[in-house]
Amino acid sequence: MSWLGAIAILSATTLFGFEWAKRIRERPKQLRELKVTLQALEAEIMYGSTPLYEAFQHIGRPLKEPLSSFFLHISVLLDQGEHSVQEAWESELTVLAKETSFKSGEIEVLRQFGTTLGRHDKEHQQKQIQLTLAHLNREEKEARDIQERYEKMCKSLGVLMGLLIVILLL
């Protein structure tokens, strides 16, 4: 086996380890951004008395991808009037699940939240947002714990697996 092949294998596994670590590192960041966004949605509903499609538009604009697309697409679907809030939320939630580092727990919390959106008065909607935020706080704490434990290990594992494969092939 040539040295070029060994370097290629080592580079590929190292890159894989760093990408794996990146996904672990992104999850708490995305959860924090989602929590801040839901707090902005709460303010839009409670104090702005904004219709949901406008509220989603207002909160979606300043966000980073993929959360920005999530809220803006829901806004467009609601503005067209062909979908209910729950249908628009659910359809975009499947896309969000693929584009983010969210685990099934966070997606399920968001799915449950989506079923209550637009169905109740302001006060009940505020309680639902607070409940969702409490669940997301728990998920964020878990994500930070996982990040602290496994981020460095993933990077090291990528390099070590590459070394192991190179040694076995020699």
PDB file of all heavy atoms in Angstrom, residues 127-150:
ATOM      1  N   LYS A 127     -48.969  29.600  27.716  1.00  0.00           N
ATOM      2  CA  LYS A 127     -48.660  28.448  28.567  1.00  0.00           C
ATOM      3  C   LYS A 127     -48.048  27.315  27.750  1.00  0.00           C
ATOM      4  O   LYS A 127     -47.123  26.640  28.206  1.00  0.00           O
ATOM      5  CB  LYS A 127     -49.923  27.960  29.287  1.00  0.00           C
ATOM      6  CG  LYS A 127     -50.404  28.892  30.363  1.00  0.00           C
ATOM      7  CD  LYS A 127     -51.691  28.398  30.984  1.00  0.00           C
ATOM      8  CE  LYS A 127     -52.236  29.412  31.974  1.00  0.00           C
ATOM      9  NZ  LYS A 127     -53.509  28.997  32.535  1.00  0.00           N
ATOM     10  N   GLN A 128     -48.548  27.102  26.536  1.00  0.00           N
ATOM     11  CA  GLN A 128     -47.996  26.053  25.683  1.00  0.00           C
ATOM     12  C   GLN A 128     -46.553  26.378  25.271  1.00  0.00           C
ATOM     13  O   GLN A 128     -45.691  25.490  25.231  1.00  0.00           O
ATOM     14  CB  GLN A 128     -48.861  25.865  24.428  1.00  0.00           C
ATOM     15  CG  GLN A 128     -50.189  25.216  24.699  1.00  0.00           C
ATOM     16  CD  GLN A 128     -50.035  23.822  25.267  1.00  0.00           C
ATOM     17  OE1 GLN A 128     -49.165  23.059  24.878  1.00  0.00           O
ATOM     18  NE2 GLN A 128     -50.882  23.487  26.223  1.00  0.00           N
ATOM     19  N   ILE A 129     -46.289  27.639  24.994  1.00  0.00           N
ATOM     20  CA  ILE A 129     -44.919  28.043  24.647  1.00  0.00           C
ATOM     21  C   ILE A 129     -44.004  27.842  25.850  1.00  0.00           C
ATOM     22  O   ILE A 129     -42.888  27.328  25.710  1.00  0.00           O
ATOM     23  CB  ILE A 129     -44.888  29.499  24.147  1.00  0.00           C
ATOM     24  CG1 ILE A 129     -45.582  29.597  22.783  1.00  0.00           C
ATOM     25  CG2 ILE A 129     -43.448  30.010  24.050  1.00  0.00           C
ATOM     26  CD1 ILE A 129     -45.782  31.009  22.275  1.00  0.00           C
ATOM     27  N   GLN A 130     -44.474  28.219  27.042  1.00  0.00           N
ATOM     28  CA  GLN A 130     -43.664  28.035  28.252  1.00  0.00           C
ATOM     29  C   GLN A 130     -43.389  26.558  28.514  1.00  0.00           C
ATOM     30  O   GLN A 130     -42.267  26.182  28.895  1.00  0.00           O
ATOM     31  CB  GLN A 130     -44.361  28.678  29.463  1.00  0.00           C
ATOM     32  CG  GLN A 130     -44.436  30.184  29.402  1.00  0.00           C
ATOM     33  CD  GLN A 130     -43.068  30.835  29.354  1.00  0.00           C
ATOM     34  OE1 GLN A 130     -42.132  30.406  30.000  1.00  0.00           O
ATOM     35  NE2 GLN A 130     -42.965  31.884  28.549  1.00  0.00           N
ATOM     36  N   LEU A 131     -44.384  25.723  28.295  1.00  0.00           N
ATOM     37  CA  LEU A 131     -44.197  24.282  28.460  1.00  0.00           C
ATOM     38  C   LEU A 131     -43.175  23.752  27.454  1.00  0.00           C
ATOM     39  O   LEU A 131     -42.281  22.964  27.815  1.00  0.00           O
ATOM     40  CB  LEU A 131     -45.534  23.561  28.296  1.00  0.00           C
ATOM     41  CG  LEU A 131     -45.512  22.045  28.416  1.00  0.00           C
ATOM     42  CD1 LEU A 131     -45.086  21.623  29.805  1.00  0.00           C
ATOM     43  CD2 LEU A 131     -46.886  21.467  28.074  1.00  0.00           C
ATOM     44  N   THR A 132     -43.281  24.196  26.225  1.00  0.00           N
ATOM     45  CA  THR A 132     -42.334  23.771  25.192  1.00  0.00           C
ATOM     46  C   THR A 132     -40.925  24.241  25.543  1.00  0.00           C
ATOM     47  O   THR A 132     -39.959  23.483  25.396  1.00  0.00           O
ATOM     48  CB  THR A 132     -42.764  24.329  23.814  1.00  0.00           C
ATOM     49  OG1 THR A 132     -44.081  23.851  23.526  1.00  0.00           O
ATOM     50  CG2 THR A 132     -41.808  23.896  22.723  1.00  0.00           C
ATOM     51  N   LEU A 133     -40.799  25.463  26.030  1.00  0.00           N
ATOM     52  CA  LEU A 133     -39.488  25.979  26.437  1.00  0.00           C
ATOM     53  C   LEU A 133     -38.896  25.162  27.583  1.00  0.00           C
ATOM     54  O   LEU A 133     -37.682  24.910  27.608  1.00  0.00           O
ATOM     55  CB  LEU A 133     -39.582  27.455  26.823  1.00  0.00           C
ATOM     56  CG  LEU A 133     -39.782  28.431  25.668  1.00  0.00           C
ATOM     57  CD1 LEU A 133     -40.067  29.838  26.200  1.00  0.00           C
ATOM     58  CD2 LEU A 133     -38.582  28.438  24.748  1.00  0.00           C
ATOM     59  N   ALA A 134     -39.734  24.742  28.512  1.00  0.00           N
ATOM     60  CA  ALA A 134     -39.250  23.914  29.621  1.00  0.00           C
ATOM     61  C   ALA A 134     -38.709  22.586  29.097  1.00  0.00           C
ATOM     62  O   ALA A 134     -37.638  22.122  29.535  1.00  0.00           O
ATOM     63  CB  ALA A 134     -40.367  23.677  30.625  1.00  0.00           C
ATOM     64  N   HIS A 135     -39.432  21.982  28.154  1.00  0.00           N
ATOM     65  CA  HIS A 135     -38.954  20.731  27.567  1.00  0.00           C
ATOM     66  C   HIS A 135     -37.652  20.951  26.799  1.00  0.00           C
ATOM     67  O   HIS A 135     -36.722  20.133  26.879  1.00  0.00           O
ATOM     68  CB  HIS A 135     -40.003  20.133  26.630  1.00  0.00           C
ATOM     69  CG  HIS A 135     -41.169  19.533  27.331  1.00  0.00           C
ATOM     70  ND1 HIS A 135     -41.066  18.455  28.178  1.00  0.00           N
ATOM     71  CD2 HIS A 135     -42.483  19.854  27.300  1.00  0.00           C
ATOM     72  CE1 HIS A 135     -42.252  18.138  28.645  1.00  0.00           C
ATOM     73  NE2 HIS A 135     -43.146  18.976  28.141  1.00  0.00           N
ATOM     74  N   LEU A 136     -37.575  22.047  26.062  1.00  0.00           N
ATOM     75  CA  LEU A 136     -36.364  22.333  25.293  1.00  0.00           C
ATOM     76  C   LEU A 136     -35.183  22.668  26.201  1.00  0.00           C
ATOM     77  O   LEU A 136     -34.036  22.354  25.857  1.00  0.00           O
ATOM     78  CB  LEU A 136     -36.617  23.458  24.292  1.00  0.00           C
ATOM     79  CG  LEU A 136     -37.542  23.098  23.136  1.00  0.00           C
ATOM     80  CD1 LEU A 136     -37.801  24.320  22.254  1.00  0.00           C
ATOM     81  CD2 LEU A 136     -36.989  21.951  22.310  1.00  0.00           C
ATOM     82  N   ASN A 137     -35.440  23.267  27.358  1.00  0.00           N
ATOM     83  CA  ASN A 137     -34.368  23.497  28.339  1.00  0.00           C
ATOM     84  C   ASN A 137     -33.762  22.175  28.784  1.00  0.00           C
ATOM     85  O   ASN A 137     -32.537  22.040  28.890  1.00  0.00           O
ATOM     86  CB  ASN A 137     -34.888  24.265  29.553  1.00  0.00           C
ATOM     87  CG  ASN A 137     -35.006  25.740  29.298  1.00  0.00           C
ATOM     88  OD1 ASN A 137     -34.287  26.304  28.482  1.00  0.00           O
ATOM     89  ND2 ASN A 137     -35.933  26.381  29.992  1.00  0.00           N
ATOM     90  N   ARG A 138     -34.632  21.218  29.052  1.00  0.00           N
ATOM     91  CA  ARG A 138     -34.156  19.897  29.458  1.00  0.00           C
ATOM     92  C   ARG A 138     -33.334  19.250  28.338  1.00  0.00           C
ATOM     93  O   ARG A 138     -32.253  18.702  28.574  1.00  0.00           O
ATOM     94  CB  ARG A 138     -35.359  19.023  29.821  1.00  0.00           C
ATOM     95  CG  ARG A 138     -34.975  17.661  30.368  1.00  0.00           C
ATOM     96  CD  ARG A 138     -36.165  16.741  30.524  1.00  0.00           C
ATOM     97  NE  ARG A 138     -36.632  16.350  29.195  1.00  0.00           N
ATOM     98  CZ  ARG A 138     -37.866  16.509  28.739  1.00  0.00           C
ATOM     99  NH1 ARG A 138     -38.788  17.052  29.486  1.00  0.00           N
ATOM    100  NH2 ARG A 138     -38.201  16.115  27.529  1.00  0.00           N
ATOM    101  N   GLU A 139     -33.824  19.349  27.116  1.00  0.00           N
ATOM    102  CA  GLU A 139     -33.118  18.774  25.977  1.00  0.00           C
ATOM    103  C   GLU A 139     -31.777  19.476  25.738  1.00  0.00           C
ATOM    104  O   GLU A 139     -30.789  18.842  25.399  1.00  0.00           O
ATOM    105  CB  GLU A 139     -33.973  18.848  24.708  1.00  0.00           C
ATOM    106  CG  GLU A 139     -35.245  18.020  24.754  1.00  0.00           C
ATOM    107  CD  GLU A 139     -35.015  16.529  24.713  1.00  0.00           C
ATOM    108  OE1 GLU A 139     -33.939  16.080  24.251  1.00  0.00           O
ATOM    109  OE2 GLU A 139     -35.907  15.787  25.157  1.00  0.00           O
ATOM    110  N   GLU A 140     -31.749  20.789  25.946  1.00  0.00           N
ATOM    111  CA  GLU A 140     -30.498  21.526  25.763  1.00  0.00           C
ATOM    112  C   GLU A 140     -29.469  21.120  26.814  1.00  0.00           C
ATOM    113  O   GLU A 140     -28.284  20.973  26.506  1.00  0.00           O
ATOM    114  CB  GLU A 140     -30.739  23.037  25.835  1.00  0.00           C
ATOM    115  CG  GLU A 140     -29.470  23.829  25.598  1.00  0.00           C
ATOM    116  CD  GLU A 140     -29.625  25.315  25.857  1.00  0.00           C
ATOM    117  OE1 GLU A 140     -30.699  25.758  26.294  1.00  0.00           O
ATOM    118  OE2 GLU A 140     -28.640  26.040  25.622  1.00  0.00           O
ATOM    119  N   LYS A 141     -29.910  20.933  28.037  1.00  0.00           N
ATOM    120  CA  LYS A 141     -28.990  20.494  29.093  1.00  0.00           C
ATOM    121  C   LYS A 141     -28.402  19.139  28.736  1.00  0.00           C
ATOM    122  O   LYS A 141     -27.191  18.915  28.865  1.00  0.00           O
ATOM    123  CB  LYS A 141     -29.718  20.436  30.433  1.00  0.00           C
ATOM    124  CG  LYS A 141     -28.825  20.054  31.590  1.00  0.00           C
ATOM    125  CD  LYS A 141     -29.602  19.950  32.880  1.00  0.00           C
ATOM    126  CE  LYS A 141     -28.743  19.576  34.061  1.00  0.00           C
ATOM    127  NZ  LYS A 141     -27.872  18.449  33.878  1.00  0.00           N
ATOM    128  N   GLU A 142     -29.247  18.247  28.257  1.00  0.00           N
ATOM    129  CA  GLU A 142     -28.773  16.929  27.843  1.00  0.00           C
ATOM    130  C   GLU A 142     -27.791  17.051  26.668  1.00  0.00           C
ATOM    131  O   GLU A 142     -26.764  16.377  26.641  1.00  0.00           O
ATOM    132  CB  GLU A 142     -29.963  16.060  27.430  1.00  0.00           C
ATOM    133  CG  GLU A 142     -29.562  14.694  26.928  1.00  0.00           C
ATOM    134  CD  GLU A 142     -30.746  13.943  26.345  1.00  0.00           C
ATOM    135  OE1 GLU A 142     -31.860  14.049  26.893  1.00  0.00           O
ATOM    136  OE2 GLU A 142     -30.541  13.258  25.325  1.00  0.00           O
ATOM    137  N   ALA A 143     -28.090  17.929  25.733  1.00  0.00           N
ATOM    138  CA  ALA A 143     -27.212  18.122  24.567  1.00  0.00           C
ATOM    139  C   ALA A 143     -25.859  18.680  24.991  1.00  0.00           C
ATOM    140  O   ALA A 143     -24.823  18.272  24.450  1.00  0.00           O
ATOM    141  CB  ALA A 143     -27.880  19.053  23.558  1.00  0.00           C
ATOM    142  N   ARG A 144     -25.855  19.601  25.947  1.00  0.00           N
ATOM    143  CA  ARG A 144     -24.578  20.134  26.445  1.00  0.00           C
ATOM    144  C   ARG A 144     -23.772  19.061  27.157  1.00  0.00           C
ATOM    145  O   ARG A 144     -22.550  18.990  27.014  1.00  0.00           O
ATOM    146  CB  ARG A 144     -24.815  21.324  27.359  1.00  0.00           C
ATOM    147  CG  ARG A 144     -24.960  22.620  26.597  1.00  0.00           C
ATOM    148  CD  ARG A 144     -24.988  23.832  27.502  1.00  0.00           C
ATOM    149  NE  ARG A 144     -26.381  24.039  27.905  1.00  0.00           N
ATOM    150  CZ  ARG A 144     -26.817  24.103  29.147  1.00  0.00           C
ATOM    151  NH1 ARG A 144     -25.993  23.997  30.149  1.00  0.00           N
ATOM    152  NH2 ARG A 144     -28.101  24.272  29.406  1.00  0.00           N
ATOM    153  N   ASP A 145     -24.448  18.214  27.936  1.00  0.00           N
ATOM    154  CA  ASP A 145     -23.754  17.113  28.606  1.00  0.00           C
ATOM    155  C   ASP A 145     -23.121  16.165  27.586  1.00  0.00           C
ATOM    156  O   ASP A 145     -21.977  15.748  27.743  1.00  0.00           O
ATOM    157  CB  ASP A 145     -24.721  16.332  29.503  1.00  0.00           C
ATOM    158  CG  ASP A 145     -25.169  17.120  30.727  1.00  0.00           C
ATOM    159  OD1 ASP A 145     -24.518  18.143  31.052  1.00  0.00           O
ATOM    160  OD2 ASP A 145     -26.174  16.728  31.341  1.00  0.00           O
ATOM    161  N   ILE A 146     -23.875  15.839  26.561  1.00  0.00           N
ATOM    162  CA  ILE A 146     -23.357  14.960  25.504  1.00  0.00           C
ATOM    163  C   ILE A 146     -22.181  15.623  24.802  1.00  0.00           C
ATOM    164  O   ILE A 146     -21.168  14.971  24.513  1.00  0.00           O
ATOM    165  CB  ILE A 146     -24.481  14.593  24.513  1.00  0.00           C
ATOM    166  CG1 ILE A 146     -25.458  13.633  25.186  1.00  0.00           C
ATOM    167  CG2 ILE A 146     -23.914  13.983  23.233  1.00  0.00           C
ATOM    168  CD1 ILE A 146     -26.708  13.351  24.388  1.00  0.00           C
ATOM    169  N   GLN A 147     -22.289  16.919  24.543  1.00  0.00           N
ATOM    170  CA  GLN A 147     -21.207  17.635  23.885  1.00  0.00           C
ATOM    171  C   GLN A 147     -19.936  17.582  24.729  1.00  0.00           C
ATOM    172  O   GLN A 147     -18.848  17.311  24.204  1.00  0.00           O
ATOM    173  CB  GLN A 147     -21.601  19.086  23.628  1.00  0.00           C
ATOM    174  CG  GLN A 147     -20.503  19.897  22.958  1.00  0.00           C
ATOM    175  CD  GLN A 147     -20.840  21.374  22.851  1.00  0.00           C
ATOM    176  OE1 GLN A 147     -21.889  21.814  23.312  1.00  0.00           O
ATOM    177  NE2 GLN A 147     -19.958  22.132  22.240  1.00  0.00           N
ATOM    178  N   GLU A 148     -20.070  17.849  26.012  1.00  0.00           N
ATOM    179  CA  GLU A 148     -18.905  17.822  26.902  1.00  0.00           C
ATOM    180  C   GLU A 148     -18.257  16.446  26.937  1.00  0.00           C
ATOM    181  O   GLU A 148     -17.032  16.325  26.990  1.00  0.00           O
ATOM    182  CB  GLU A 148     -19.307  18.238  28.315  1.00  0.00           C
ATOM    183  CG  GLU A 148     -19.644  19.706  28.447  1.00  0.00           C
ATOM    184  CD  GLU A 148     -20.224  20.053  29.807  1.00  0.00           C
ATOM    185  OE1 GLU A 148     -20.266  19.177  30.712  1.00  0.00           O
ATOM    186  OE2 GLU A 148     -20.659  21.211  29.967  1.00  0.00           O
ATOM    187  N   ARG A 149     -19.062  15.402  26.918  1.00  0.00           N
ATOM    188  CA  ARG A 149     -18.534  14.044  27.007  1.00  0.00           C
ATOM    189  C   ARG A 149     -17.957  13.519  25.706  1.00  0.00           C
ATOM    190  O   ARG A 149     -16.944  12.825  25.725  1.00  0.00           O
ATOM    191  CB  ARG A 149     -19.637  13.088  27.467  1.00  0.00           C
ATOM    192  CG  ARG A 149     -19.779  13.032  28.962  1.00  0.00           C
ATOM    193  CD  ARG A 149     -20.705  11.903  29.361  1.00  0.00           C
ATOM    194  NE  ARG A 149     -21.956  12.536  29.760  1.00  0.00           N
ATOM    195  CZ  ARG A 149     -23.141  12.026  29.596  1.00  0.00           C
ATOM    196  NH1 ARG A 149     -23.283  10.867  29.026  1.00  0.00           N
ATOM    197  NH2 ARG A 149     -24.217  12.670  29.987  1.00  0.00           N
ATOM    198  N   TYR A 150     -18.598  13.811  24.594  1.00  0.00           N
ATOM    199  CA  TYR A 150     -18.290  13.085  23.369  1.00  0.00           C
ATOM    200  C   TYR A 150     -17.635  13.877  22.238  1.00  0.00           C
ATOM    201  O   TYR A 150     -17.136  13.276  21.294  1.00  0.00           O
ATOM    202  CB  TYR A 150     -19.564  12.429  22.820  1.00  0.00           C
ATOM    203  CG  TYR A 150     -20.132  11.406  23.753  1.00  0.00           C
ATOM    204  CD1 TYR A 150     -21.400  11.566  24.292  1.00  0.00           C
ATOM    205  CD2 TYR A 150     -19.402  10.278  24.118  1.00  0.00           C
ATOM    206  CE1 TYR A 150     -21.932  10.626  25.165  1.00  0.00           C
ATOM    207  CE2 TYR A 150     -19.924   9.346  24.991  1.00  0.00           C
ATOM    208  CZ  TYR A 150     -21.188   9.517  25.508  1.00  0.00           C
ATOM    209  OH  TYR A 150     -21.711   8.595  26.369  1.00  0.00           O
TER     210      TYR A 150
END
